[in-house]
Each structure stands twice: as structure tokens, then as C-alpha cells.
Amino acid sequence: MATSSKADGAADLDNMSGVRHVVLILSGKGGVGKSTVAAQLALALRQAGKKVGILDVDLCGPSIPRMFDVEGHDVHQCPGGWVPVYPDQDQRLALMSIGFLLQNRDDAVVWRGPKKNAMIKQFIGDVVWGELDYLIIDTPPGTSDEHISVVENVRQYHPDGAVLVTTPQGVAVGDVRRELTFCRKTKLPVLGVIENMSGFVCPHCTECTNVFSKGGGEALANQFNVPFLGCVPLDPQLTRSLEEGQRFVDAFPTSTTAQAIGRVAQTLLQTGGQQETMETS
Amino acid sequence: MADVPENAPDHCPGTDSEDAGKTSACQGCPNQAVCASALPKAPDPAVEEIRERLSSVKHKLLVLSGKGGVGKSTVTAQLAFGLARHEDTQVGVLDVDICGPSIPRVMGLEGEQVHQSGSGWSPVYVEDNLGVMSVGFLLASPDDAVIWRGPKKNGLIKQFLRDVDWGELDYLVVDTPPGTSDEHLSIVQYLSSAGLDGAVIVTTPQEVSLLDVRKEINFCKKVHLPVVGVVENMSGFICPSCQGESQIFPPTTGGAEKMAADMGVPFLGKLPLDPRIGKCCDEGKSFLSVEPESLAAKAYKEVIQRVEEFCSSHSNKENVLNPVE
């Protein structure tokens, strides 16, 4: 216990007690950019001077390690539990994903529900996050085992709520409607809807094409009476920087996406701040 | 695969092992007595029922992808429309994506209901020779969420395979959710004795997606499922106003073709990203009949042809997997 860096003993009892805000990133549909949005949001919050953690509970297809170029890093064990992976030097960004636990990056995690639930429980209880302003939880697509487990296990920490990611086309919006119902049934507050991949600016003729049509996310938010957090365009440069293993962290602040995400982060900071004042009053 | 129960204690020797019920790990396991009694375990009776039900289906294909949103449902739908272009080819589509069924939408069947007859559930027909079954048809409203854990999903998949009255089919195309979990294990397990032709694997060109697809191919190898081939979707975007091509999802690591070569599986072709495909899907139309002359339609036709060739060269009987005990 004496080796523990944390000042208060309570943190030793519960690894989540140093985490102030918990935000879930959800989407009914796959491939709409949950992990990208989670990563971008974390970076934007970090730029705002916060300490941020990302927990990747997508057990069958973890993308977070790749996005931060920390594939192949190992998770270390300390007396308090698992130490997250820090992709930056000043350790203001902490990551945890099943990708760090696999021996080979191509290994498939072929697990049925109960085993996944146990892993998620361990992820939530046993990771030594330390002091964090925000913990962002990146989820797999759907409304099944992983989601039920995450919601059940974080309930005692009073999560701020969920950010729903969608692309503009009808098929994706349809799945996100189901996710909204999920939030409602599990009494998880909805922080808002982000429309990702809305519009692509052709590098040849600067004509903006709506590859996946447009406006679906906003219409949905209005219909369900939840806040619309904004549109994020398709940004091939950002995808490229991500792909080439270049530090997303370095490429991000200058990209056009940063502005769009920055606004979303501001909204989060405001709602988070309100909650804090409510709790203290 | 089914030897060690998923909720078994650590170091369970497996229910079929000679040491079942006798090792130290079995102490305290509620099933110790059952295992130790060494009675032969009966296979799930549903496997046999499914084999009988699907004996009238010539070719069974799975559409898989490790990653979500790469176009599994789009490819499934267009593949089914394409296979059904000959009036005498009977095609069925089964959507086992329980939590996010997209097939009703992309095939233009939203709001349809399933009917029950004496011989089981009747699929919903798009055309005379194209039937569809999805959990989407069982929901009262498009907003209804199916918030189920694994075992319940498995039960529904079993029911879909056992109780849907497909009639005589040339092809049954099964659309799956992303990942390598309950739904995938169940469908492979239940179809093991009925004989699966193989899996069509869909990916997009970028590494984030290929990463997950390699896992999916390893999954196929683990469960001895033949791979028909890999389809690269969203490969290159052709600007409708200037015809200039850009890579929205750049293939920085060589794309799916190189990945397929590395993993030793066939490559079926590249499908370009064409906004009209997405539009057809939102409207539930067949892209091949709306835009038959487009580049994307030609690419689709080639992929469909390769799938047909694969199926005709592989007689169903050869591919009966080792039945799951």
C-alpha cells in the first residue's frame, strides 16, 4: 500500500473513485465512427486541460490501440490492478483495451456473452485509472451483452450519459433509433447525437458530395427530443494520418474535424460542470 | 468447440473428456455428477431438425465481417438480388443481426410482418423467387430495441433456422452482425450438419477494418468454415461531378487484395463507393436493376459470378462440417 501513488486510501478500495465523469459512446450501427469519435473527443477534452481515459469494451474488434499507434503495448500489473497504457508522455491520456491483452494482433476473440461480461466487469473494476476528469467508454455496435454489462457495472458511478454516433443514411439512423430506446429502457441519459461522415469534399474539384446523404442525425435528434451535437465531415486526411500510424495525437489539432469535435467537447464540459454544481449545492 | 461449456470452471477438462467429473477442477462444479456418470451426451436435437428443414436448400452462404458498417447488409442484399436475376433461381436471405437488423430496410420491406402457417414461419417475399426473414419483421415498431444477451439470441437463431418454411431454395444467404461472438458461433454450430458452402467476407480498404477482418478469417479457420473469398467494399470514390477518383478509406497497407493473399484466401473483387448504392439501399431497391450500366454494377456482377462459380464447383455434400457432438 505504501507504494501506491494515490494520496487517499479510498482509491485503493475502488479504482473508479477517482473518475469524475463517465461518458459512453454508443451506436446501433457498426462502422459509423464510434472509436474515431471516442478518440477525437478524448483528444479534444485533453486539449481543454482535462485528464481523460478511454475504455474500449469492443472485445471482438478493438480499434483504439491502432488509433493511438500503441499496438503491441502490454498492460502491466500493479498491486491495485491493471495499469492502463499511456500514449502520451505527460500521462494525461490513459487507454485500456482488449487489444493490449492479445498476444497476436490477428488473434480472434471468439467468446460468447458470459465470458465477455466477466471481462467487462474486470475492465471496469480492476483498471487503476487514478485521477481522471473523464472516462470515455467505447462500445461495440448493437444492444447486447457488452452494453447491458457496461451499463449495469457503471451505474453505481453515475455516468453522465451516452453520446450516440450515427451516419446520415437511413439504415444507420434506423439502428440508432433502437439505441435510443435502449438508453431509455436502461435509464441512461442521452447527452446527444453526433452525425459523422456527413459530406465529403472532393479534393479534385472541391465539390461537396454527401456520400451517405445528409441531415439524418439532426432529424432524428429532433424527433426524439434529444440534443444534436453537430456534424463531423468525412476527412480523408485524418483517416490517412490514422492509417499511416502517424500520431493521431499530433495530426488532430490542425484538422478541420478538430473544430467540429471541439464544439461537442464544449457541450460535454458544460453539462458536466452543471452536474457538479448541482451535486455540491 | 462445444466441448468445454462457456460457464465452466477454469481448467474444466471438457464434458467429452475421459476425466470429465473426475479432475480437481470438477470439485464443486454443479454438473460434476452429470459429467462423472459418463452417460453419452445427446447432441442438440435442433441440429438434426435444422438439417432436415434445410435439406431442400442447395447452397448456404454466410456474409461475415469483423468490422461493422463495412456493407455486409448491402452486399448481402445486392448479392441476393443478383443471384435472383434468373427467374428460376430461388434465393432466400436470413438476417441474424438480432440487435441491428438492416435487411428489411435495404430490401424495401420495412413494416412487413411474418405470417405463420402449418409448416412454419413464411418468409416475406420481395419477388417470387426472393424470400427474406429478419428479426425486424417481428418488431412492432422500428424504434423497438432488442436488448438481449447471448442465450436469448441463440434461441431466436435456432428458431429462424428450424421454423422458417423456405421451400426449395438454390441459395440461402445469411447476413450476420459484426464480430465473432454468439450469433456467429450459433449459426456455424447449427448449420454444421446441414452443410455450409462457405463465408463471403466483406471489408473496407483501410487497416482499421482489415485488422478486424483478419480476426474473422482466423475465426473461420478455427471453426473450419471455408472462405468463399474477400470482397473489398467502398474501394475508391468517384466524384459524380468531375469523375475524379479519391480514396476516402485509403488502402495504406495494400488493401484487401494483399490481405487476402497474405492470409491465403481468394479475393472476389473491389466494389467502388458510389452514393447511388447507398441511395438504392435507403429506398430498398436493387442497385443492379436501377443502374445496370454503372461501374459499380459491373463490379457487383463480377463478384456475384465468382460466388456462383464457387458454389457450382463445390457440391454441398463435400462440405459437411464435422458434426458438433
Side-chain angles (χ1 to χ4, degrees), chain A residues 67-232:
Chain A
M67 295 200 171
F68 287 96
D69 194 22
V70 284
E71 279 182 302
H73 281 232
D74 288 330
V75 169
H76 296 281
Q77 186 99 31
C78 79
W82 286 342
V83 183
V85 171
Y86 295 97
D88 57 343
Q89 293 211 318
D90 50 354
Q91 303 208 337
R92 279 178 39 232
L93 187 59
L95 307 177
M96 180 50 75
S97 162
I98 194 158
F100 300 132
L101 306 175
L102 299 178
Q103 292 201 329
N104 183 329
R105 67 202 283 266
D106 297 340
D107 279 354
V109 177
V110 189
W111 289 355
R112 288 189 183 265
K115 214 165 165 185
K116 293 197 281 194
N117 299 340
M119 187 77 223
I120 288 170
K121 213 167 173 183
Q122 205 163 4
F123 267 157
I124 290 172
D126 292 359
V127 179
V128 189
W129 294 108
E131 291 287 315
L132 279 189
D133 294 301
Y134 281 89
L135 178 65
I136 297 173
I137 302 183
D138 183 23
T139 61
T143 50
S144 190
D145 291 285
E146 289 94 333
H147 309 80
I148 306 173
S149 299
V150 165
V151 172
E152 274 175 1
N153 283 303
V154 300
R155 180 158 292 144
Q156 52 178 311
Y157 306 109
H158 306 289
D160 285 28
V163 172
L164 280 89
V165 185
T166 183
T167 53
Q169 77 268 44
V171 179
V173 172
D175 284 353
V176 175
R177 289 161 76 134
R178 296 191 195 103
E179 203 75 32
L180 279 168
T181 311
F182 169 82
C183 292
R184 216 154 270 180
K185 278 195 183 168
T186 54
K187 302 198 177 60
L188 183 69
V190 176
L191 294 171
V193 175
I194 297 180
E195 182 176 300
N196 195 16
M197 305 196 194
S198 89
F200 170 70
V201 180
C202 173
H204 305 287
C205 64
T206 69
E207 167 93 12
C208 184
T209 313
N210 296 318
V211 183
F212 300 110
S213 84
K214 191 159 175 65
E218 192 161 9
L220 175 84
N222 288 338
Q223 194 191 335
F224 279 81
N225 207 10
V226 293
F228 181 65
L229 297 174
C231 295
V232 179

Side-chain angles (χ1 to χ4, degrees), chain B residues 28 40 48 50 74 91 115 141 151 154 187 222 227 244 302 306 323:
Chain B
E48 186 56 27
I50 288 167
T74 308
V91 182
H115 296 280
S141 123
N154 300 340
I187 194 113
K222 268 190 192 176
V227 175
E302 275 174 36
R306 291 208 180 107

Side-chain angles (χ1 to χ4, degrees), chain B residues 201 203 227-233 235 254-261 264-271 303 306:
Chain B
I201 294 178
T203 180
V227 175
V228 178
V230 177
V231 177
E232 182 175 289
N233 195 17
S235 154
E257 197 162 3
K258 183 166 173 292
M259 188 273 298
V265 293
F267 183 68
L268 294 176
K270 294 180 181 184
L271 303 172
V303 169
R306 291 208 180 107

Side-chain angles (χ1 to χ4, degrees), chain B residues 29-52:
Chain B
C29 174
N31 288 328
Q32 186 189 4
V34 182
C35 283
S37 69
L39 280 175
K41 206 174 127 242
D44 190 341
V47 173
E48 186 56 27
E49 287 169 38
I50 288 167
R51 195 185 64 79
E52 265 170 45

Side-chain angles (χ1 to χ4, degrees), chain B residues 148-309:
Chain B
W148 288 358
R149 290 189 182 269
K152 217 166 163 185
K153 293 195 281 193
N154 300 340
L156 184 65
I157 290 172
K158 191 198 279 186
Q159 206 163 0
F160 269 161
L161 291 170
R162 194 182 51 193
D163 298 345
V164 176
D165 178 27
W166 293 107
E168 292 280 324
L169 279 189
D170 293 291
Y171 295 95
L172 177 65
V173 188
V174 183
D175 185 24
T176 62
T180 48
S181 191
D182 289 285
E183 292 92 334
H184 310 81
L185 283 170
S186 298
I187 194 113
V188 171
Q189 196 179 341
Y190 289 135
L191 287 180
S192 55
S193 67
L196 267 167
D197 284 56
V200 175
I201 294 178
V202 186
T203 180
T204 51
Q206 78 272 41
E207 179 57 27
V208 180
S209 176
L210 295 178
L211 193 66
D212 290 353
V213 170
R214 287 196 198 95
K215 292 179 200 290
E216 198 75 34
I217 294 175
N218 282 332
F219 166 81
C220 291
K221 287 182 182 161
K222 268 190 192 176
V223 299
H224 309 292
L225 177 66
V227 175
V228 178
V230 177
V231 177
E232 182 175 289
N233 195 17
M234 307 194 194
S235 154
F237 169 70
I238 296 159
C239 174
S241 62
C242 71
Q243 306 298 319
E245 192 179 340
S246 7
Q247 299 292 338
I248 296 190
F249 302 110
T252 44
T253 50
E257 197 162 3
K258 183 166 173 292
M259 188 273 298
D262 290 347
M263 301 285 294
V265 293
F267 183 68
L268 294 176
K270 294 180 181 184
L271 303 172
L273 185 58
D274 187 328
R276 290 172 297 184
I277 299 178
K279 205 162 159 260
C280 282
C281 283
D282 275 357
E283 292 166 3
K285 290 178 187 155
S286 162
F287 178 69
L288 293 175
S289 48
V290 175
E291 301 279 351
E293 294 309 311
S294 62
L295 279 172
K298 287 195 181 108
Y300 259 111
K301 278 178 197 151
E302 275 174 36
V303 169
I304 291 165
Q305 205 183 343
R306 291 208 180 107
V307 172
E308 284 173 331
E309 278 165 15

